[in-house]
Amino acid sequence: MSVGTPIERIWPAPVTGALTDPQLTALYGRTVGPHLRVNFVASADGAVTLDGYSAGLSGEPDKRVFGLLRMLCDGLVVAAGTLRHERYRAVRLSPERRAWRREQGLAEFPTLVVVSGSLDLDPAQAAFADAPVRPVVLTHADAVPPPGLTDVADVVRCGTGRADDSDRTDDSGRADDSGRADDSGRADDRGWADDRGRADDRGWADDSGRADDRDRVDDSGRPDDGGRADDSARPNDRDHVDGNGRADDKGRAHDNGRTGAAGRVDLVAGLAELRRRGLDQLLCEGGPHLFGALTAADLVDELCLTVAPLLAGAGPGRITAGDASVPRHLPLRHVLAAADGVLMLRYARDLAETPPAGSAPAA
């Protein structure tokens, strides 16, 4: 692809001149063993939205790296509300990136993985019906799939138990004190809802980092590789997870990463199943409650964070959400800087660190 805004490496070893796509690919790369990478964008003061959306947070450099990260992964993990409300299309890649994957001995396309406790999914949605690779849906034992879902996706049950009252909102539409929705009763399945209930749509650039004719573009102007967002999409938070590793149909979790009696998805078991299927290199694109749950279960091996050079002020949430969890040390691996002032940070586990079950150290 043609390079727009130049990106340079400024740490640990500065590289003078704009990085090419092959150089960026080498910097992010793939690991030898199983690996879970999370990718987010935020403002300099930690906000994940600007006026409810990510329009002012992301630009061409972020989209470019975003597309490369998709090319590198085996499985693309998202919470169900994002897919539902942002109207994902099939996850596809450009011919050049498909060729790169074939050269590496990889499948031409990454597999879409949806985390859902409610199974409130539409089998006719293009993310399923037009998928080049059969998607995988991680859910719990008591979830009932809608007619036709098992025809277009593999439904994997990881966790048991029925949802309890903690999974419901009150009559006003407000979520319970687990933080699942804001006062408007509308939250962002990626977890990027501000206190007005306006969700951002992180943009989801296509595989080239640019929109094409078949892709939808959200209000922020960030193109969607999966066709995920349209102008009206306000994703909710029903299928996200909290900060502990087990997702219920509201997206909650518990800190051992395993299911209890509230209809929760066991993320530890879910990731183990994905890796049994050969999906070793996983890229999680949100939302924050899913990120929080994966962090609490100590399943996150890497965080790629784009920092926009602006102060958003009070109001918007953070890239992670859910219950409090134990702090995790994640060393800085590189710092990239774009000519427009954007920083791209990569944090990853130490090579010598012994990972928990279902996780692996970074390269």
Side-chain angles (χ1 to χ4, degrees):
M1 62 172 286
S2 60
V3 176
T5 307
I7 300 173
E8 297 184 355
R9 188 172 74 183
I10 62 175
W11 190 89
V15 174
T16 303
L19 295 168
T20 64
D21 276 6
Q23 287 173 317
L24 285 170
T25 299
L27 280 172
Y28 286 95
R30 288 171 56 90
T31 62
V32 175
H35 192 79
L36 175 62
R37 169 183 282 158
V38 180
N39 186 31
F40 275 99
V41 64
S43 67
D45 55 352
V48 293
T49 61
L50 187 64
D51 194 26
Y53 295 90
S54 62
L57 297 180
S58 178
E60 186 270 335
D62 178 53
K63 295 171 187 175
R64 182 180 166 200
V65 170
F66 180 90
L68 289 173
L69 295 184
R70 279 192 161 193
M71 180 186 75
L72 289 164
C73 75
D74 298 320
L76 181 66
V77 183
V78 294
T82 301
L83 179 136
R84 219 174 23 240
H85 294 278
E86 294 184 5
R87 303 182 183 181
Y88 275 37
R89 294 190 182 188
V91 177
R92 297 187 178 274
L93 302 175
S94 69
E96 295 77 14
R97 289 181 176 168
R98 290 163 61 188
W100 182 90
R101 289 175 64 89
R102 288 194 300 269
E103 291 169 1
Q104 307 304 312
L106 306 175
E108 282 194 80
F109 302 95
T111 298
L112 176 66
V113 179
V114 182
V115 180
S116 175
S118 67
L119 289 185
D120 180 12
L121 299 167
D122 180 5
Q125 188 171 345
F128 296 114
D130 189 39
V133 178
R134 187 175 173 89
V136 175
V137 179
L138 300 181
T139 190
H140 59 81
D142 291 336
V144 179
L149 182 62
T150 56
D151 294 335
V152 295
D154 291 347
V155 177
V156 177
R157 300 182 183 278
C158 307
T160 60
R162 299 184 180 278
D164 59 24
D165 291 342
S166 67
D167 297 335
R168 305 189 181 103
T169 57
D170 65 24
D171 292 341
S172 67
R174 297 182 180 180
D176 66 1
D177 57 4
S178 58
R180 301 164 188 180
D182 65 6
D183 290 343
S184 69
R186 297 185 302 183
D188 163 17
D189 176 60
R190 295 200 69 223
W192 296 13
D194 64 14
D195 49 1
R196 293 182 298 280
R198 297 175 61 193
D200 92 41
D201 19 353
R202 163 89 166 74
W204 309 114
D206 68 13
D207 58 275
S208 66
R210 301 180 188 279
D212 61 24
D213 291 341
R214 72 178 184 272
D215 290 331
R216 300 176 186 269
V217 178
D218 63 58
D219 285 340
S220 70
R222 296 188 69 200
D224 168 16
D225 177 57
R228 304 176 184 181
D230 65 7
D231 292 342
S232 63
R234 301 286 179 88
N236 70 20
D237 209 12
R238 288 175 41 193
D239 286 294
H240 64 232
V241 300
D242 73 13
N244 298 315
R246 297 181 307 189
D248 63 14
D249 45 321
K250 292 290 187 178
R252 301 285 158 197
H254 291 266
D255 57 15
N256 59 9
R258 292 179 169 77
T259 191
R264 295 181 170 91
V265 181
D266 184 335
L267 294 176
V268 171
L271 264 60
E273 172 61 20
L274 294 178
R275 284 155 179 169
R276 188 188 69 78
R277 292 168 177 247
L279 305 181
D280 284 341
Q281 309 284 295
L282 299 174
L283 172 64
C284 178
E285 298 179 342
H289 282 85
L290 179 55
F291 182 23
L294 292 167
T295 300
D298 204 13
L299 296 172
V300 176
D301 299 305
E302 180 177 333
L303 169 63
C304 296
L305 177 64
T306 297
V307 181
L310 59 85
L311 300 177
R318 299 171 54 205
I319 64 173
T320 188
D323 294 341
S325 62
V326 176
R328 317 287 181 185
H329 181 61
L330 208 59
L332 182 64
R333 298 303 180 188
H334 72 225
V335 179
L336 309 182
D340 58 2
V342 167
L343 293 178
M344 279 161 280
L345 314 176
R346 177 176 177 259
Y347 300 87
R349 289 183 188 268
D350 286 321
L351 282 172
E353 183 178 351
T354 302
S359 186

